[in-house]
Amino acid sequence: GDSVTQTEGPVTLSEGTSLTVNCSYETKQYPTLFWYVQYPGEGPQLLFKVPKANEKGSNRGFEATYNKEATSFHLQKASVQESDSAVYYCALSDYNQGKLIFGQGTKLSIKP
Amino acid sequence: ETAVFQTPNYHVTQVGNEVSFNCKQTLGHDTMYWYKQDSKKLLKIMFSYNNKQLIVNETVPRRFSPQSSDKAHLNLRIKSVEPEDSAVYLCASSLRDWAYEQYFGPGTRLTVL
């Protein structure tokens, strides 16, 4: 079945450094790919989604490119802030089963 | 305010008891979901409803049952809780189906003693 694998957390960075959270997926379909973010005490919220291969999504300084050849959708940010501390989820749409498949989540902590 | 609302925020109970969690969305969405988030933050879908009709029913123990009165409400009942049911239960909704942005509530944290 379909699956999503992310960078194993937790990840701790200093403010101002760059971030990459790896996301790899397996599917026989042509999915839409998503990044969701969950701040402490809240439910996850959509960061952005990309429906087509070779396109880039971005929001709040985060970006990711849908790489169909490499089956990857890595999340990047050039300079992180303390407020970026959260759990990040990569997900894909499973059209056969009518649901989202989430990765295991990557907990990110940013030190001031 | 338009959002997804869940009650209660927290619930502590003993093994074997019955619990019920409520979810309401005021976004006018057609589809609602229940997810289970464990202590390692793994997020797994349990059920989804579209216009009061069950769409997704993952392999969850039979003691879990969703209850939909209308498309704005989706409750979750656990008939006889077990220790492994301790988790955060997240309700979500989307405009149409799963491919649309899902809006999540803040979750209900269940602790089973």
Side-chain angles (χ1 to χ4, degrees), chain B residues 38-77:
Chain B
D38 66 19
S39 57
K40 295 182 180 179
K41 300 295 187 180
L42 275 173
L43 201 54
K44 288 285 172 75
I45 188 165
M46 301 174 71
F47 305 101
S48 76
Y49 267 76
N50 179 274
N51 270 314
K52 293 171 57 180
Q53 186 174 12
L54 182 64
I55 300 299
V56 170
N57 185 358
E58 289 295 290
T59 307
V60 297
R62 294 174 78 174
R63 59 181 181 275
F64 288 85
S65 59
Q67 298 165 321
S68 176
S69 56
D70 56 53
K71 74 173 190 177
H73 295 83
L74 182 64
N75 299 331
L76 181 67
R77 186 179 79 161

Side-chain angles (χ1 to χ4, degrees), chain A residues 58-75:
Chain A
S58 63
N59 189 14
R60 303 184 210 169
F62 291 91
E63 62 181 31
T65 299
Y66 187 157
N67 188 329
K68 182 171 173 290
E69 288 68 34
T71 61
S72 68
F73 191 52
H74 304 321
L75 181 68

Side-chain angles (χ1 to χ4, degrees), chain A residues 36 38 43-44 49 89 98-99, chain B residues 37 41 56 58 99 102 104-105:
Chain A
Y36 278 81
Q38 184 179 24
K49 69 176 185 180
Y89 292 96
K99 62 183 183 183
Chain B
Q37 185 177 46
K41 300 295 187 180
V56 170
E58 289 295 290
Q102 292 187 20
F104 286 80

Side-chain angles (χ1 to χ4, degrees), chain B:
Chain B
E1 184 188 359
T2 53
V4 179
F5 301 94
Q6 291 186 239
T7 57
N9 294 327
Y10 304 92
H11 190 80
V12 181
T13 190
Q14 307 277 350
V15 170
N17 285 350
E18 177 175 316
V19 299
S20 214
F21 303 146
N22 300 315
C23 179
K24 177 178 85 169
Q25 57 95 1
T26 56
L27 296 160
H29 288 170
D30 286 343
T31 304
M32 295 185 71
Y33 312 81
W34 276 108
Y35 287 86
K36 181 180 180 182
Q37 185 177 46
D38 66 19
S39 57
K40 295 182 180 179
K41 300 295 187 180
L42 275 173
L43 201 54
K44 288 285 172 75
I45 188 165
M46 301 174 71
F47 305 101
S48 76
Y49 267 76
N50 179 274
N51 270 314
K52 293 171 57 180
Q53 186 174 12
L54 182 64
I55 300 299
V56 170
N57 185 358
E58 289 295 290
T59 307
V60 297
R62 294 174 78 174
R63 59 181 181 275
F64 288 85
S65 59
Q67 298 165 321
S68 176
S69 56
D70 56 53
K71 74 173 190 177
H73 295 83
L74 182 64
N75 299 331
L76 181 67
R77 186 179 79 161
I78 313 174
K79 218 170 180 183
S80 177
V81 295
E82 300 284 341
E84 60 265 30
D85 298 337
S86 294
V88 175
Y89 292 88
L90 291 158
C91 178
S93 72
S94 63
L95 183 61
R96 298 283 181 260
D97 57 28
W98 69 96
Y100 286 75
E101 176 178 358
Q102 292 187 20
Y103 291 77
F104 286 80
T108 294
R109 180 177 295 277
L110 173 66
T111 301
V112 181
L113 302 175

